[in-house]
C-alpha cells in the first residue's frame, strides 16, 4: 500500500466507520466495506492521484460496497433502511472529536475483554492493519485476528451500535477507554519482547487518540492526567536506549528530553489536580512530572514521589505502584528499607523480572553478595533483548 494512502486511512478510519455505522450496520460489516474502499484507494490513487476530499471519497465508495453487501444478504435485506427515528439519534454532521470519541466508546464496550478492546481500537480507530496490530502487541497475526473477530462478534451479539451512550453507562465506558489507551501506550513504550524497547507507531497512536478524547472532554481530570502521563513518557523516549542497551533514568541525557512537551504536560497536571477527585492517572502523571522537572537524578524530590506513590496505593493495590514506592523508599530511607519493602512483592511475584532487577540494584548499592546472580535471574525472565543486554552487562561488571 502506498504510504500516502495508509496515512490518509489512519487519519480518516474512525470517520469512515462512523459514517457507515449511521446506516445501522454492524461494525463488522462496516469494516469489511471500509477495507474494500481502502483497497480500491490503494489501486486508484497512485495511478489517478488522490481525490480533493479523501474522506468523502472513502465514505462514498465504502457506502456503495456496504449497500451492495446488504442487498446480497438474503437474511438481512432491509438493514440499510433503518427507521428514521433511530437514524435521528446522531447528527449527520458531528465533529472530528465526536466521531473518534464515539468509536472509542464503542470499541470499549463493557462486553469486551481488555485485550479484545485494545485490538479492536487499534483496528477501527487507529486504522492499523491486523499485521501491524500483531507486531505492536507482540502476538501472532492469527491471535490478533482472533481478538478482533471475537470483539466484533461480541458487539454483534450485544447489538451494540454507534451513537450516544446512556448517561449512567458513560463513566464506566470512559474508564475503559482510558484504560485501553494507557495499555496501548505502555505496550508501545516498553515492548515486552524482541530487539526494541519502543514502538513509536503504538505510542503516537495512543497520544493522538488521547488528544482527541481530551479535546472532547477538556475538563475531565483523569483524561487530562492520562494525556500528561503519555506526553511526559514520550518526552524522554529517545534517551532510553543506546545501541540496543537500556539506559536507566539516572544515566539518561536530560538535555535531549523534549522540554517544551514536558512544560505542556506539567501544565496539564497542574490544571487537572485541583479539580478532583484525584485518580490514578493524575497521580502517575504527577510522579512523572517530578522526575521530568528535576535538574538531575540526584536532585529528584524523592519524598514527594514517595508520598504520591502512597496516595496511588491508597486508591487500590497495584504491583507497579508497590514497586515504585519501594524504589522511592530506598532513595528516602536507604537501600535496606527498600529491600525490606520489596520482599512481599518478590514473594507474590517471583517471576517478575522488574522486581528482581530492583532487588539486584539495591544489593549492588549495599555491596552484598548475590547482586550479580539477581541481575542474571532478572535477565533470564525477560524477553526484551535491550533489557537482557543491560541486566547481563550489570552482572558481568559485578562478576
Amino acid at each position: 500500500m502506498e504510504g500516502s494512502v495508509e496515512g490518509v486511512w489512519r487519519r480518516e478510519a474512525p470517520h469512515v466507520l462512523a459514517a457507515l455505522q449511521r446506516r445501522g450496520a454492524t461494525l463488522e460489516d462496516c469494516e469489511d466495506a471500509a477495507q474494500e474502499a481502502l483497497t480500491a484507494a490503494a489501486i486508484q490513487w497512485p495511478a489517478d492521484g488522490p481525490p480533493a476530499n479523501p474522506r468523502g471519497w472513502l465514505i462514498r465508495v465504502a457506502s456503495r460496497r456496504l449497500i451492495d453487501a446488504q442487498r446480497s444478504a438474503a437474511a438481512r435485506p432491509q438493514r440499510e433502511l433503518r427507521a428514521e427515528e433511530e437514524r435521528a439519534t446522531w447528527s449527520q454532521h458531528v465533529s472530528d472529536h465526536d466521531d473518534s470519541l464515539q468509536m472509542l466508546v464503542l470499541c470499549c464496550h463493557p462486553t469486551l475483554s481488555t485485550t479484545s478492546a485494545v485490538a479492536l481500537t487499534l483496528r477501527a480507530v487507529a486504522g492499523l492493519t491486523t499485521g501491524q496490530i500483531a507486531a505492536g502487541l507482540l502476538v501472532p497475526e492469527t491471535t490478533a485476528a482472533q481478538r478482533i473477530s471475537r470483539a466484533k462478534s461480541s458487539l454483534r451479539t450485544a447489538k451494540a451500535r454507534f451513537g450516544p451512550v446512556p448517561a449512567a453507562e458513560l463513566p464506566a465506558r470512559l474508564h475503559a477507554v482510558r484504560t485501553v489507551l494507557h495499555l496501548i501506550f505502555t505496550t508501545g513504550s516498553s515492548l515486552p519482547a524482541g530487539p526494541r524497547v519502543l514502538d513509536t507507531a503504538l505510542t503516537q497512536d495512543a497520544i493522538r487518540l488521547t488528544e482527541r478524547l481530551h479535546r472532547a472532554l477538556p475538563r475531565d481530570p483523569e483524561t487530562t492526567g492520562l494525556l500528561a502521563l503519555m506526553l511526559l513518557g514520550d518526552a524522554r523516549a529517545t534517551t532510553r536506549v543506546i545501541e540496543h542497551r537500556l539506559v536507566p533514568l539516572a544515566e539518561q541525557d536530560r538535555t535531549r528530553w523534549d522540554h517544551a512537551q514536558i512544560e505542556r504536560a506539567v501544565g496539564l497536571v497542574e490544571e487537572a489536580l485541583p479539580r478532583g477527585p484525584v485518580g490514578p492517572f493524575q497521580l502517575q502523571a504527577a510522579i512523572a512530572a517530578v522526575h521530568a522537572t528535576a535538574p538531575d537524578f540526584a536532585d529528584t524530590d524523592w519524598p514527594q514521589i514517595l508520598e504520591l506513590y502512597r496516595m496511588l496505593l491508597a486508591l487500590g493495590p497495584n504491583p507497579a505502584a508497590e514497586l515504585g514506592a519501594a524504589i522511592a523508599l530506598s532513595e528516602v530511607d536507604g537501600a535496606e528499607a527498600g529491600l525490606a519493602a520489596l520482599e512481599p512483592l518478590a514473594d507474590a511475584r517471583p517471576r517478575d523480572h522488574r522486581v528482581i532487577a530492583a532487588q539486584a540494584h539495591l544489593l549492588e548499592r549495599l555491596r552484598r553478595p548475590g547482586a550479580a546472580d539477581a541481575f542474571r535471574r532478572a535477565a533470564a525472565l525477560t524477553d526484551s533483548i535491550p533489557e537482557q543486554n543491560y541486566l547481563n552487562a550489570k552482572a558481568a561488571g559485578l562478576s
Side-chain angles (χ1 to χ4, degrees):
M1 184 188 303
E2 288 289 323
S4 59
V5 177
E6 181 174 353
V8 169
W9 176 246
R10 292 180 68 173
R11 184 173 64 251
E12 303 295 351
H15 312 302
V16 175
L17 289 171
L20 296 179
Q21 286 226 285
R22 293 188 187 102
R23 295 179 174 273
T26 65
L27 179 60
E28 186 173 17
D29 289 343
C30 292
E31 191 186 39
D32 288 343
Q35 287 296 320
E36 290 186 29
L38 177 61
T39 301
I43 295 170
Q44 293 182 33
W45 292 6
D48 303 336
N53 181 2
R55 183 188 301 180
W57 190 98
L58 289 166
I59 290 173
R60 185 169 61 255
V61 173
S63 297
R64 288 201 296 264
R65 302 297 170 89
L66 179 63
I67 291 171
D68 289 345
Q70 290 172 331
R71 285 173 176 167
S72 67
R76 300 173 294 171
Q78 298 300 317
R79 194 193 290 176
E80 72 271 26
L81 302 176
R82 290 190 68 194
E84 186 61 33
E85 63 270 20
E86 189 174 351
R87 198 195 320 264
T89 60
W90 191 252
S91 167
Q92 294 290 327
H93 303 288
V94 293
S95 63
D96 283 358
H97 68 246
D98 288 330
D99 273 356
S100 296
L101 174 59
Q102 291 296 341
M103 288 305 301
L104 278 168
V105 170
L106 177 65
C107 291
C108 297
H109 194 274
T111 61
L112 303 183
S113 68
T114 300
T115 54
S116 293
V118 167
L120 187 60
T121 299
L122 289 172
R123 180 63 172 268
V125 188
L128 299 186
T129 66
T130 305
Q132 289 171 322
I133 294 168
L137 300 180
L138 298 170
V139 297
E141 190 165 344
T142 53
T143 300
Q146 287 169 356
R147 290 179 184 179
I148 295 167
S149 177
R150 282 198 301 268
K152 288 189 277 189
S153 177
S154 297
L155 292 180
R156 184 171 60 250
T157 300
K159 295 181 170 56
R161 292 290 184 268
F162 180 88
V165 175
E169 290 184 20
L170 192 58
R173 295 283 280 275
L174 289 176
H175 174 74
V177 168
R178 288 189 292 262
T179 300
V180 165
L181 292 175
H182 182 243
L183 183 56
I184 293 170
F185 182 82
T186 54
T187 299
S189 60
S190 295
L191 293 173
R196 296 180 298 152
V197 168
L198 296 170
D199 185 329
T200 54
L202 287 182
T203 57
Q204 293 307 306
D205 273 327
I207 291 173
R208 177 174 60 84
L209 296 174
T210 306
E211 290 270 21
R212 286 176 178 265
L213 186 63
H214 179 251
R215 285 199 297 272
L217 301 168
R219 297 190 59 78
D220 177 52
E222 272 292 82
T223 299
T224 304
L226 175 60
L227 177 58
L229 178 62
M230 291 183 182
L231 293 174
L232 289 163
D234 182 65
R236 64 181 185 87
T238 58
T239 67
R240 292 177 56 212
V241 180
I242 295 178
E243 296 178 351
H244 304 292
R245 179 176 174 270
L246 197 66
V247 180
L249 180 61
E251 300 174 20
Q252 290 174 18
D253 181 357
R254 297 182 181 225
T255 65
R256 295 177 53 214
W257 290 359
D258 187 336
H259 293 282
Q261 187 162 297
I262 290 171
E263 184 177 355
R264 182 196 171 201
V266 170
L268 289 172
V269 174
E270 292 173 345
E271 172 190 323
L273 286 174
R275 288 181 184 158
V278 176
F281 289 130
Q282 296 167 72
L283 290 171
Q284 290 177 68
I287 292 168
V290 176
H291 281 298
T293 54
D296 54 50
F297 188 80
D299 290 329
T300 302
D301 189 346
W302 288 105
Q304 183 182 2
I305 288 175
L306 179 58
E307 183 58 32
L308 288 167
Y309 270 121
R310 286 171 172 164
M311 293 172 65
L312 185 57
L313 286 169
L315 296 178
N318 183 318
E322 290 174 19
L323 176 58
I327 293 171
L329 182 65
S330 74
E331 298 293 336
V332 175
D333 291 342
E336 287 280 12
L339 277 175
L342 283 173
E343 282 184 11
L345 189 57
D347 290 341
R349 303 174 67 84
R351 297 190 60 79
D352 188 332
H353 76 281
R354 292 181 176 85
V355 175
I356 299 171
Q359 289 178 314
H361 279 288
L362 296 180
L363 290 170
E364 180 188 23
R365 278 172 53 183
L366 292 167
R367 301 182 183 277
R368 295 267 183 86
D373 180 62
F375 278 122
R376 281 191 290 267
R377 284 191 293 118
L381 289 171
T382 178
D383 293 321
S384 167
I385 293 175
E387 286 186 340
Q388 290 174 2
N389 292 342
Y390 169 75
L391 295 167
N392 283 325
K394 292 291 290 184
L398 290 172
S399 298

